[in-house]
Amino acid sequence: MKVYLRELLEDRIQVLEKEIFKNSNIPSEDLSMDEMQDLEAKIFDQKRELVRAKKFYFKLDEIDHATFQ
């Protein structure tokens, strides 16, 4: 179960990192003010989700480490 969860988290982290990179590199001159604000909100939400996913991923490491001691 932990291995499956770890793989899901790794995949989600990779997808989020790629999406954040892609969205951060959209030329702002191509967007209206509303589109730019929406994009900034989307990037903010993606970064927040990325932090949560990484925290959970590292919690799994702590659990594994504590289990084997």
Side-chain angles (χ1 to χ4, degrees), residues 5-58:
L5 185 56
R6 185 181 307 277
E7 289 175 4
L8 283 176
L9 283 168
E10 288 172 353
D11 290 345
R12 186 64 186 148
I13 288 168
Q14 285 180 352
V15 167
L16 284 167
E17 288 174 337
K18 287 178 185 176
E19 283 292 311
I20 291 168
F21 179 79
K22 181 184 82 171
N23 290 333
S24 297
N25 290 302
I26 294 175
S28 59
E29 58 270 0
D30 295 344
L31 303 174
S32 70
M33 186 61 82
D34 288 340
E35 290 172 327
M36 190 64 183
Q37 288 175 343
D38 290 344
L39 183 61
E40 287 174 359
K42 182 178 182 178
I43 293 169
F44 178 81
D45 290 342
Q46 289 172 329
K47 285 181 178 181
R48 185 173 47 193
E49 184 179 349
L50 179 61
V51 167
R52 288 179 181 161
K54 285 183 175 184
K55 282 182 179 178
F56 194 70
Y57 183 84
F58 291 124

Side-chain angles (χ1 to χ4, degrees), residues 54-67:
K54 285 183 175 184
K55 282 182 179 178
F56 194 70
Y57 183 84
F58 291 124
K59 284 285 184 194
L60 287 177
D61 283 346
E62 290 175 17
I63 292 168
D64 284 345
H65 184 70
T67 302

